[in-house]
Amino acid sequence: WVEQTLPVWQELAEPVATSIADALTEALQTQTPEEMQSMIAGAGKFLRTIGGALFAAQLGSVIGRLSLEVVSGGDVGIPVMPDGAAAILPQNFDDFGRDLEIEDDQLALYLATRELAHARLFRHARWLRLHVISQVTEFARGTRVDTDALEELASRFDPSSTDELREALESGALLPQRTEAQTLALTRLENLLATIEGWVEVVTADATSRLPAADRISEAVRRRRAVGGPAEQAMASLVGLELRPRRLREAAAMWRAVTDAVGAEARDRLWDYPDLIPTADDIDDPHALVARLQAHERGEAPARDAIDDALDALLNGPQASDAGGDAAGSEPDDGAEGPEGPRPV
């Protein structure tokens, strides 16, 4: 699991590692008097190497601990496994089911179905993997190091003893409060993860409806994803990112309403293109989404909105807006010729 997921973790952590290394070097230069700058010219590169190596070591340690907690390849919500791959970790599966008092065969069927649903979604929606990863990296690129805390650390930093820097990395003390842009990026990511996992939960529930303990297992999985384990919390401290679908219940309720109203085939077509997937507003108001889908099934044209009018005005000129006004308040034009020739309809 570590070997197969490491490339994704490296991609997610690289912006934070670069930010920490750059800030550490800048802090050292700030703390050094002007007359000694030439003496530490080589030390800056050395310090950057130390900072990067320490971060890499901490990342490796966290991923190693995380591998002892995850039950399946898609357990952390984001697509860390290779494309189309599904996996169950047997030793962690045993730990997960130990206190549930549920037969192993039911647990295995449920968790394997859930893992296959997760892998199948990313295999069907080829664009989704890149979409999720790009939203995670967008958040990570906005990470800035707390320069005051780092300068204080640099003032007493001893390259021969890196324990204090290691502790600062582990605790997340070098990562300040999120910026407004990061908060917005995190909200978008949380809604996307909830949308994915809500779909997985509904599909799994339908496929395992004959399992006597399906509801109990589902609740155990949901609680586990909501709370997270120690290694997941360590990852949040290290990278500043929590990968928990906070709106999982609401998203699952939305997918259930859509499935009951229009069926699984129409539901799954929402994953065909990025602009079709449900939004945060759809999670808040599933009835509006259902009404749109039912209208589409009946062949009705979607209602126009302000964006449609603005696009018409941009592409067709002012006459498009005038035509819309004519349609609302005048008799429709049949294309007859006027003083200046035929008018387009």
Side-chain angles (χ1 to χ4, degrees):
W1 185 86
V2 170
E3 290 175 351
Q4 293 198 45
T5 63
L6 190 57
V8 174
W9 294 120
Q10 289 175 320
E11 184 179 357
L12 302 185
E14 184 178 4
V16 182
T18 302
S19 181
I20 288 178
D22 291 344
L24 195 58
T25 304
E26 183 179 348
L28 177 65
Q29 293 173 343
T30 303
Q31 294 287 332
T32 304
E34 184 69 28
E35 61 272 13
M36 297 180 63
Q37 288 290 331
S38 59
M39 298 175 60
I40 66 162
K45 183 178 180 180
F46 174 67
L47 195 59
R48 179 188 295 271
T49 302
I50 289 179
L54 279 175
F55 187 88
Q58 292 305 111
L59 178 65
S61 176
V62 168
I63 294 173
R65 297 201 301 270
L66 191 60
S67 72
L68 303 178
E69 297 179 6
V70 293
V71 176
S72 62
D75 210 11
V76 294
I78 61 175
V80 294
M81 294 289 290
D83 187 25
I88 295 289
L89 284 72
Q91 64 273 42
N92 299 348
F93 168 81
D94 292 339
D95 293 337
F96 172 73
R98 183 166 292 119
D99 299 324
L100 294 180
E101 298 181 354
I102 297 173
E103 295 178 7
D104 284 350
D105 60 344
Q106 292 196 49
L107 279 172
L109 280 169
Y110 186 94
L111 294 178
T113 302
R114 192 178 192 281
E115 172 67 0
L116 287 171
H118 191 272
R120 181 64 181 83
L121 174 60
F122 282 93
R123 186 177 180 85
H124 166 77
R126 295 288 185 179
W127 57 270
L128 185 58
R129 180 185 180 88
L130 179 60
H131 188 63
V132 174
I133 296 297
S134 64
Q135 291 212 18
V136 176
T137 52
E138 178 187 354
F139 173 88
R141 288 192 189 98
T143 301
R144 296 293 179 267
V145 176
D146 188 337
T147 53
D148 292 337
L150 193 57
E151 286 178 3
E152 181 182 353
L153 180 61
S155 65
R156 57 180 187 276
F157 180 70
D158 181 4
S160 63
S161 177
T162 58
D163 290 343
E164 189 172 2
L165 179 56
R166 184 181 293 108
E167 291 173 1
L169 290 173
E170 281 186 351
S171 65
L174 299 182
L175 301 181
Q177 294 293 321
R178 299 187 186 100
T179 64
E180 183 177 351
Q182 272 191 306
T183 301
L184 292 174
L186 183 60
T187 300
R188 289 193 297 270
L189 178 61
E190 287 177 343
N191 285 324
L192 178 59
L193 293 180
T195 303
I196 292 170
E197 296 223 8
W199 181 90
V200 169
E201 180 172 310
V202 169
V203 170
T204 303
D206 289 345
T208 59
S209 59
R210 295 188 179 185
L211 286 180
D215 290 341
R216 291 172 57 198
I217 302 173
S218 174
E219 185 60 29
V221 170
R222 190 185 294 119
R223 287 200 308 268
R224 188 170 174 274
R225 286 293 293 124
V227 175
E232 187 178 338
Q233 294 163 11
M235 177 64 72
S237 297
L238 192 64
V239 185
L241 178 63
E242 296 179 0
L243 298 174
R244 297 177 198 156
R246 299 183 183 279
R247 307 184 68 193
L248 175 56
R249 290 182 186 274
E250 293 89 340
M254 174 199 70
W255 285 118
R256 174 56 64 198
V258 169
T259 305
D260 293 344
V262 298
E265 186 176 348
R267 173 199 68 196
D268 293 346
R269 283 199 294 267
L270 291 173
W271 294 107
D272 287 349
Y273 303 100
D275 55 347
L276 294 180
I277 61 173
T279 64
D281 292 337
D282 294 326
I283 296 177
D284 293 333
D285 184 14
H287 301 293
L289 173 61
V290 167
R292 293 200 306 272
L293 293 175
Q294 289 176 330
H296 178 75
E297 290 293 305
R298 294 192 297 267
E300 299 175 5
R304 292 181 58 85
D305 57 19
I307 296 179
D308 295 318
D309 293 337
L311 283 174
D312 282 345
L314 178 65
L315 298 174
N316 302 320
Q319 67 270 18
S321 298
D322 294 341
D326 291 340
S330 309
E331 291 296 325
D333 193 290
D334 59 2
E337 293 192 15
E340 299 177 0
R343 292 177 58 193
V345 178

